């Protein structure tokens, strides 16, 4: 709660959370043939990504004002998490990323941002329609429908 942490401290923590998520999402797309680039996966990567996404989902759902400055930068990275892999270990983080994409559309102040990303999101979710996981396919269809309905 804000009372315990203070407004400035809360903003600092959310900034770290958002930047950390973006760095981890982008690390998955880096070419591993370059020895200076970080590895795409390391022990515990999926657990860390799941924790970051669960934290963001909670913030998007309960305290939307603090996440507003980051929404435009987070949306493309949610798509990166969804589209990178068809490995079973990645399904929890992909499901959370889809839930975050839905939660973003329900924030009152993000309608303009969501409309700007609508085509990218709806087309980006298309590749999940062929995912081997039925649960992930259903979640992708739901998310895509939510984004199609944006006016």
């Amino acid at each position: 709660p804000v009372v315990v942490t203070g407004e400035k401290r809360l903003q600092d923590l959310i900034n770290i959370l958002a930047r950390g998520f973006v760095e981890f999402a982008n690390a998955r797309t880096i070419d591993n043939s370059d020895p200076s680039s970080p590895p795409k996966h390391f022990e515990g990567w999926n657990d860390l990504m799941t924790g970051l996404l669960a934290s963001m989902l909670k913030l998007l759902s309960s305290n939307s004002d603090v996440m507003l400055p980051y929404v435009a930068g987070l949306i493309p990275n949610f798509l990166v998490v969804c589209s990178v892999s068809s490995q079973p270990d990645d399904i929890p983080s992909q499901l959370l990323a889809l839930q975050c994409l839905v939660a973003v559309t329900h924030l009152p102040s993000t309608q303009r941002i969501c409309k700007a990303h609508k085509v990218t999101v709806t087309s980006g979710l298309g590749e999940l329609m062929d995912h081997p996981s039925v649960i992930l396919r259903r979640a992708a269809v739901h998310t895509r429908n939510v984004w199609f309905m944006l006016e």
Side-chain angles (χ1 to χ4, degrees):
V2 176
V3 176
V4 175
T5 61
E7 187 67 32
K8 174 70 171 121
R9 182 76 176 140
L10 181 63
Q11 284 296 336
D12 291 344
L13 291 172
I14 291 169
N15 187 24
I16 291 168
L17 174 71
R19 286 188 331 208
F21 167 70
V22 169
E23 287 298 319
F24 273 97
N26 288 329
R28 297 191 78 184
T29 62
I30 294 174
D31 180 16
N32 272 351
S33 63
D34 178 8
S36 66
S37 70
K40 287 185 181 180
H41 284 322
F42 60 86
E43 187 78 25
W45 191 98
N46 287 319
D47 295 335
L48 183 56
M49 180 56 81
T50 300
L52 289 169
L53 285 164
S55 298
M56 280 192 283
L57 181 59
K58 181 68 173 175
L59 288 167
L60 286 168
S61 301
S62 63
N63 197 353
S64 60
D65 292 343
V66 296
M67 293 299 287
L68 288 177
Y70 306 99
V71 168
L74 292 174
I75 291 172
N77 289 291
F78 292 143
L79 282 174
V80 168
V81 172
C82 290
S83 64
V84 170
S85 171
S86 62
Q87 298 296 320
D89 291 346
D90 292 333
I91 292 174
S93 58
Q94 290 171 317
L95 287 170
L96 283 167
L98 290 170
Q99 290 176 344
C100 287
L101 283 170
V102 170
V104 163
T105 65
H106 297 303
L107 299 177
S109 303
T110 61
Q111 293 304 310
R112 183 181 52 79
I113 296 167
C114 289
K115 287 177 191 173
H117 286 89
K118 181 178 178 178
V119 173
T120 305
V121 172
T122 54
S123 63
L125 293 175
E127 68 185 64
L128 284 179
M129 303 303 159
D130 294 329
H131 196 278
S133 169
V134 174
I135 294 170
L136 194 58
R137 285 196 310 263
R138 286 183 182 163
V141 168
H142 171 73
T143 304
R144 195 173 187 198
N145 287 343
V146 168
W147 278 81
F148 268 131
M149 299 304 292
L150 290 175
E151 294 180 6

